[in-house]
Amino acid sequence: MSALASAGMIRQLEAIGPFDAAACMNCGVCSAACPLGIDLLPRRLFRYALLGCEDRVHDASGPIFSCLLCRACEANCPAGVHITENMRVLRHWLLQEGS
Amino acid sequence: MPLPVRDVVGILADNLRLRGSVLPIPARRATAWARNLGIPRGGETVLYTGQMYQLIPYIERLVHLEQRLGDSPLARFTGVARRANRLVNGVAIVARPGAEERAEYDRVPANVARLLQRAGVAFGYLYEDDLYSGALAHDLGADEAVAAHARRVAGILRKHGVREVITLDPHTTTMLRTVYPKLVEGYDVRVRSYLEVLAERGLPVGVPLSGTVTIHDSCVYARYEGIVDEPRRLLASVGLTVAEPENAGQWTWCCGGPAESLFPTTAAAIAGKRVEQLRAVAPDCVTMCPICLVNLRKAANGTMRLRDISDHLLDAVAERGASAAHVGGPTR
């Protein structure tokens, strides 16, 4: 699996809507609270997005679209990251990418 | 195996753009619940259903079909299905729930209208102009289609002179109250859930109920809209004791429903886990969202009784005759 970094990706995401993944401090509480036990940690996914690893974000479309948007992660996030809105932004980006 | 996400989301977004709902159903079906209730058309305050409860039987038919398709070679042809759906409303062809299924979910908006009437709240209804809010398309990231739809709904509310909307499910509540103001310039409609309206106004209890129920909070009500105390206050006011399950209130556990349109197997697993938590507390459970209700009922498979909160509240205002043995009846 390649990981081609794209400097433009974060700009595309921020153009879609507020994307505050940079506030994530990698503590992992979100994953511990997730009812899905989501198999791609939001912190890792957000890092892919911030670094512009488009291929890796594409590969993660299953977990991104299976997120329940239930906000159990956000209710527990010590950094106050808007995790579910970030997920929605990533969904929109993935849909645009393929259109 | 899940169907291709882009095609499924595309079909839902196309429907919203072309037909005003992700799952377009005939207006006569969406408004059937209001027959014989004498609700005036329009007005400054309206009960806005967003068709959520009315859509559930159709969603169930489609999810069943989707599960069968996902495991078949036909799954490769979803792109063709999307193109065909632009020309012909596919939902009208493949999803045809029976009268009994429709009546089960049509009952809730009728319940809420009766409760508001009994509480002395003056309100109207928009009938065929009561459109779906766009909630599912918003969740899935179909933002352009949702923004256009929000402007359409806002225009309809403006045309009818609506200043206040009373909603009856969490998804429509958060769309109209929290999402639309970000999408529609000058949108200033006051939006409240009927639970908030009734908790503030109080219910005229005719026949106090008895017994213990557990409660399943909607994630959207609890964590998006901060509605946690209102359902508890209402249940207590009609005489029911609420036994809190593990993961309650702000810390509620998802029913799995939001994953159902794309990942039905995942949704079922989450719902099964939640049912275990609820059943451990009491055999009767109160829900307040149509998605939660249908998902948990499927997972419970008759092992516990799940009812919408409006069913309990209406029993207590005694309009349709409450029984003394309010809880502990047959499971459903």
Side-chain angles (χ1 to χ4, degrees), chain B residues 52 92 116 142 163:
Chain B
M52 279 296 289
L116 292 169
R163 300 177 67 85

Side-chain angles (χ1 to χ4, degrees), chain B residues 132-214:
Chain B
Y132 178 68
S133 69
L136 179 58
H138 178 258
D139 285 354
L140 292 173
D143 290 2
E144 285 86 3
V146 173
H149 186 70
R151 289 192 292 272
R152 180 178 176 181
V153 172
I156 287 171
L157 296 176
R158 200 163 42 242
K159 179 184 85 178
H160 287 279
V162 175
R163 300 177 67 85
E164 178 168 358
V165 157
I166 301 172
T167 51
L168 49 79
D169 76 89
H171 297 273
T172 306
T173 306
T174 199
M175 285 299 290
L176 267 60
R177 179 151 87 184
T178 306
V179 177
Y180 278 22
K182 297 175 192 162
L183 301 178
V184 184
E185 201 175 333
Y187 178 87
D188 63 349
V189 178
R190 185 185 195 207
V191 179
R192 290 195 297 165
S193 159
Y194 81 95
L195 297 172
E196 295 172 298
V197 173
L198 292 179
E200 179 185 285
R201 192 173 270 259
L203 271 176
V205 178
V207 180
L209 308 177
S210 61
T212 298
V213 293
T214 188

Side-chain angles (χ1 to χ4, degrees), chain A residues 36 69-70 88 91-92 94, chain B residues 138-139 141 143-144 223-224:
Chain A
L36 278 171
L69 305 184
C70 72
R88 251 189 29 76
R91 287 177 178 183
H92 186 76
L94 284 166
Chain B
H138 178 258
D139 285 354
D143 290 2
E144 285 86 3
R223 285 194 282 266
Y224 284 60

